[in-house]
Amino acid sequence: MSNVIMDASAILAFLNQESGSEQITDLIENATIGTVNLSEVIAKLAEIGIPEPEILQILSDLNLEVIPFDERQAQLTGMLRPLTKPLGLSLGDRPCLAPGLLLHQPVITADRQWNQLDLDLEIRVIR
């Protein structure tokens, strides 16, 4: 069972060994990622030319628990738009916040603007 929700930005920072990635090392074994954020990670890796079999191996090695984007998450993601739009959060960001809120688990991100959110949710920014 996981105890944190990972945003795509956190996973990408970890894979690229960017600033803050060392914090992910301690959390990755018990992390969850939603299907929308997983798709974002895959898209970014494909965009830089990593072949599909290698992407699938990278994801397998991460061994993240993957949770589907369901109707309840879709509803909450939509309802978060007015709160998150002024901070510049994207459609890809809100599907990470929704499971955090629904499962009462911290969300991990590399996006600093998430610190400005006023939600009943623990947000950990890695840099």
Side-chain angles (χ1 to χ4, degrees):
M1 180 72 174
S2 73
N3 55 20
V4 296
I5 309 290
M6 291 283 175
D7 177 42
S9 67
I11 296 299
L12 291 166
F14 175 76
L15 292 174
N16 294 319
Q17 299 179 348
E18 297 171 3
S19 171
S21 64
E22 63 281 351
Q23 295 178 54
I24 303 300
T25 303
D26 297 332
L27 300 171
I28 199 97
E29 289 182 16
N30 297 306
T32 295
I33 192 168
T35 52
V36 174
N37 278 257
L38 179 65
S39 176
E40 188 174 356
V41 170
I42 293 167
K44 293 291 187 181
L45 296 176
E47 191 174 66
I48 61 171
I50 298 175
E52 182 178 354
E54 191 173 332
I55 292 171
L56 297 177
Q57 185 61 55
I58 290 167
L59 297 174
S60 176
D61 292 345
L62 289 175
N63 197 33
L64 297 165
E65 179 182 349
V66 179
I67 55 173
F69 187 68
D70 62 17
E71 184 176 355
R72 181 65 189 119
Q73 287 183 49
Q75 292 166 353
L76 185 52
T77 295
M79 296 305 296
L80 287 168
R81 171 108 167 127
L83 178 68
T84 61
K85 183 179 179 182
L87 299 175
L89 273 71
S90 70
L91 175 59
D93 295 327
R94 294 190 309 274
C96 181
L97 295 167
L101 288 163
L102 293 170
L103 299 172
H104 308 287
Q105 293 183 347
V107 295
I108 314 300
T109 185
D111 295 330
R112 291 184 192 111
Q113 70 267 32
W114 288 30
N115 274 333
Q116 300 174 47
L117 289 169
D118 185 20
L119 292 170
D120 186 22
L121 174 66
E122 181 182 350
I123 298 171
R124 300 182 198 165
V125 179
I126 63 169
R127 51 180 167 212

